[in-house]
Amino acid sequence: MIEVKNTSFKMLFSMSVLIYMICVSCQDGQRSSHEISIDQPNIIIIYADDLGYGDVSAYEQGTLNTPNFDRIAKEGILFKRGYASSATCTPSRYASLTGQYPWKNKRARILPGNAPLIIDTTMQTLPKIMQSAGYKTAVIGKWHLGLGHRELDWNGKIDPGPNQVGFDYSYILASTNDRTPTVYVENHRVVGLNAEDPLEVHYKKNFPGEPTGKENPEKLKVFPSHGHDMSIHNGISRIGFQTGGVDARYIDEDMSDTILSRSLEFIEKHQQVPFFLFYSLHQPHVPRVPHPRFVGQSGMGPRGDVILEADWAVGQVLDKIDQLGLAENTLILFSSDNGPVLNDGYQDQAVEKIGNHTPHGGLRGGKYSLYEAGTRVPLMIRWTGKINPMISEALVSQIDFSASFAKLLGVPIGQMDSQELLDAFLGKTERGRDSLVLEAIGRKSYLKRDWVLIPPHSGNPIISTVGIESGASNEYQLYRLIDDRSQQNNLAEEFPQKVMQMEKELNHLLENDD
Ligand code: NG6
Ligand code: CA
């Protein structure tokens, strides 16, 4: 719970409770602009999965065109220095939703599909901030933050989950589309489950009689390149085993449309009240299985096709907002949980068909990497009539959503790593954060203004399965990003004092990780 420490903080807190009470007492949940002086735009966060800085044509005009992603930037702000907290999914999502550095929670690392919920249900979270300002909140799409407690029974009430951390409504994939269980969970229940065919999930041992990618390649339509050789569903073998729940299983080809239509329904239903939608895309994470309408559209194979599919879906959301007359009353933020990867475990020709397209947008590394492409991601915000179209150089992180939106809505917050950067997010200043700790599969680096320090880390410099540089090296690495965004010139030897100073600051931050 939030600890209310001093008198002015208490006053603020009571004010926000009052605003909340006024709001919830409004008849039929209608907006009540006369009682509320602060802005209460609807807030939509569109959060892509593994979409690179260079996968959005507003960032990198290349061979892949994403006109709908680009619309957000053209009609709003394109952040050139927007960062995910981490180079993988679970920790970045954790940071975006809690405002805390994920490395402070040992469980915030890539989770199996049967992991328990890793967000403490007593924590103040981004959706809870919205709720306390009277918002209706929803997460629709990828979750990957765990569900329930250990030994979850998928056939009963799934608890705790998104509903306990601040979402009034949830319609989610439990983890990723390459992990079992391959079902949707709506609020507390698996969608479409037949009680006579119970769903069971295990990550260590298979269930008797269930085919696997390893033993039954003849049953596959998409083949793994590494891992992903356990239970088969829809001709695609996954990570993890499952049995039963056949009626509840999703069709990968329809996933984008399913997540989109639930999102559009949520928007329509709540158009009269302020709402917060976390629209969590599964693209272009593996397995990349576009709807037939998008097959072949990119000329780059499934990875390009699912990016176009996601771009189209985002266009539908923008159109819906515009058609409902909500554009001036809706802040739309677009970002990605981590950087790009081509071969992430399936033979889907992502490498072979890439052509001249550069998902990393000239940044070094990619998903899983401590180099820039791991965490520097597309980040764009549109709020028609409120923010002027611009390109911003402000250093901002997804961790900062919580404090910044709390400021916008006048909601007091407790101690967080999140920094209040509302003016930067609204394009009123290009002054953002001064520094940021970045994380990639447990390793850390330290970004300070234009400099980034990567201390020595053990491990292989190349992650061989995906062919991406990890950032691990025996040497200190220091890069000046302002004139070396692709991190080619290690300046550690030239600036030993800077290395020392930055390492000291980083260690201080890492030690104070209460
Ligand atoms: C890795 C998977 C990868 C992807 C990743 C999580 C293998 C070999 N690789 O372990 O395919 O699922 O986890 O991605 O299994 S994330 O975007 O959700 O972090
Ligand atoms: Ca991801």
Side-chain angles (χ1 to χ4, degrees):
M1 286 303 288
I2 325 154
E3 215 187 314
V4 181
K5 280 195 178 125
N6 58 40
T7 327
S8 56
F9 201 70
K10 272 184 188 157
M11 271 178 60
L12 255 174
F13 190 80
S14 330
M15 274 168 59
S16 80
V17 170
L18 190 70
I19 291 172
Y20 172 62
M21 285 168 62
I22 292 168
C23 191
V24 291
S25 65
C26 299
Q27 229 186 349
D28 299 331
Q30 301 275 319
R31 271 171 212 282
S32 167
S33 52
H34 57 282
E35 285 108 340
I36 293 159
S37 56
I38 47 173
D39 276 318
Q40 285 205 310
N42 306 308
I43 296 170
I44 302 179
I45 295 182
I46 305 171
Y47 206 58
D49 192 359
D50 300 358
L51 189 74
Y53 196 81
D55 282 322
V56 175
S57 47
Y59 278 84
E60 184 89 353
Q61 188 59 58
T63 35
L64 193 66
N65 276 319
T66 53
N68 296 296
F69 299 162
D70 295 3
R71 249 175 83 189
I72 302 173
K74 280 197 193 114
E75 297 166 10
I77 309 175
L78 179 147
F79 290 90
K80 293 194 87 168
R81 304 189 70 200
Y83 285 84
S85 75
S86 309
T88 55
C89 168
T90 301
S92 287
R93 282 158 203 270
Y94 181 84
S96 293
L97 292 182
T98 65
Q100 306 289 8
Y101 275 128
W103 37 266
K104 295 185 176 179
N105 179 345
K106 305 244 169 327
R107 298 190 298 160
R109 50 188 62 193
I110 301 174
L111 295 175
N114 61 350
L117 178 70
I118 62 161
I119 299 178
D120 180 338
T121 53
T122 64
M123 255 172 128
Q124 195 180 23
T125 61
L126 180 62
K128 282 186 183 171
I129 289 168
M130 308 281 183
Q131 280 180 331
S132 62
Y135 279 55
K136 281 281 168 216
T137 60
V139 54
I140 301 177
K142 177 166 171 176
W143 177 241
H144 211 188
L145 289 161
L147 286 172
H149 299 290
R150 291 205 170 279
E151 311 296 328
L152 177 68
D153 175 5
W154 293 91
N155 307 287
K157 186 174 185 203
I158 297 172
D159 204 30
N163 304 116
Q164 280 67 41
V165 302
F167 289 107
D168 297 311
Y169 176 72
S170 61
Y171 192 99
I172 54 168
L173 299 180
S175 64
T176 59
N177 49 334
D178 59 350
R179 285 175 170 76
T180 61
T182 53
V183 295
Y184 298 115
V185 178
E186 185 173 29
N187 294 322
H188 302 283
R189 302 272 169 194
V190 169
V191 178
L193 196 62
N194 175 348
E196 280 162 28
D197 181 27
L199 170 67
E200 288 182 71
V201 178
H202 210 284
Y203 267 69
K204 295 225 165 70
K205 59 176 197 325
N206 194 10
F207 297 91
E210 287 293 340
T212 63
K214 195 171 179 182
E215 284 144 15
N216 306 87
E218 76 285 355
K219 293 194 185 318
L220 297 179
K221 64 180 179 193
V222 177
F223 293 89
S225 59
H226 48 270
H228 302 99
D229 60 357
M230 298 169 225
S231 277
I232 301 173
H233 164 62
N234 193 23
I236 305 166
S237 47
R238 322 271 167 159
I239 307 171
F241 301 103
Q242 64 185 358
T243 192
V246 172
D247 290 350
R249 297 190 190 179
Y250 55 61
I251 306 293
D252 301 77
E253 288 81 348
D254 295 336
M255 188 174 286
S256 181
D257 288 341
T258 302
I259 295 171
L260 172 65
S261 57
R262 292 290 168 283
S263 299
L264 297 179
E265 278 161 28
F266 178 80
I267 293 171
E268 288 215 5
K269 187 165 171 205
H270 298 287
Q271 57 181 293
Q272 302 292 341
V273 294
F275 65 78
F276 168 51
L277 169 63
F278 192 74
Y279 175 34
S280 185
L281 302 169
H282 67 289
Q283 300 107 330
H285 196 282
V286 295
R288 297 155 182 149
V289 191
H291 188 273
R293 358 191 252 291
F294 296 96
V295 172
Q297 292 297 316
S298 68
M300 276 175 213
R303 184 175 186 277
D305 295 346
V306 299
I307 293 176
L308 297 187
E309 179 185 62
D311 180 70
W312 177 84
V314 167
Q316 298 300 298
V317 170
L318 296 176
D319 288 350
K320 175 63 74 186
I321 292 297
D322 295 352
Q323 283 155 15
L324 293 174
L326 296 177
E328 297 195 352
N329 201 21
T330 304
L331 184 154
I332 300 177
L333 188 157
F334 180 96
S335 200
S336 173
D337 64 349
N338 52 253
V341 55
L342 294 180
N343 178 358
D344 204 17
Y346 290 95
Q347 300 174 38
D348 60 8
Q349 296 193 293
V351 175
E352 296 82 345
K353 293 202 161 177
I354 194 71
N356 295 325
H357 177 60
T358 51
H360 47 72
L363 304 174
R364 188 168 175 182
K367 181 175 179 180
Y368 310 110
S369 174
L370 261 192
Y371 291 119
E372 284 282 281
T375 48
R376 200 201 281 203
V377 287
L379 202 162
M380 308 174 285
I381 300 183
R382 179 188 101 158
W383 186 2
T384 307
K386 283 280 183 178
I387 55 181
N388 294 323
M390 68 180 286
I391 292 176
S392 174
E393 293 283 348
L395 171 60
V396 292
S397 164
Q398 295 167 359
I399 300 177
D400 305 320
F401 295 163
S402 290
S404 305
F405 286 124
K407 167 83 174 177
L408 176 71
L409 305 180
V411 175
I413 55 167
Q415 178 57 43
M416 282 187 181
D417 298 315
S418 188
Q419 290 185 11
E420 189 271 287
L421 300 175
L422 184 61
D423 284 349
F425 281 124
L426 299 184
K428 292 183 186 155
T429 173
E430 287 198 64
R431 205 182 147 74
R433 272 180 171 263
D434 197 48
S435 64
L436 178 67
V437 179
L438 297 167
E439 184 260 339
I441 38 180
R443 303 181 179 110
K444 324 270 189 331
S445 66
Y446 184 54
L447 184 57
K448 170 107 180 183
R449 294 181 204 142
D450 295 324
W451 297 81
V452 65
L453 174 75
I454 306 181
H457 286 289
S458 59
N460 199 328
I462 306 274
I463 308 164
S464 57
T465 46
V466 291
I468 289 175
E469 290 182 290
S470 65
S473 161
N474 300 330
E475 317 270 308
Y476 282 90
Q477 298 178 72
L478 178 72
Y479 300 99
R480 188 168 51 209
L481 299 172
I482 193 139
D483 50 18
D484 182 22
R485 68 196 278 278
S486 52
Q487 299 177 291
Q488 297 302 305
N489 303 312
N490 182 0
L491 300 174
E493 275 187 25
E494 209 177 310
F495 295 95
Q497 289 296 334
K498 188 162 266 303
V499 170
M500 246 166 53
Q501 180 58 30
M502 285 179 71
E503 190 177 38
K504 203 168 130 196
E505 288 178 25
L506 172 61
N507 288 339
H508 179 74
L509 286 164
L510 297 180
E511 278 156 20
N512 288 296
D513 66 345
D514 51 324

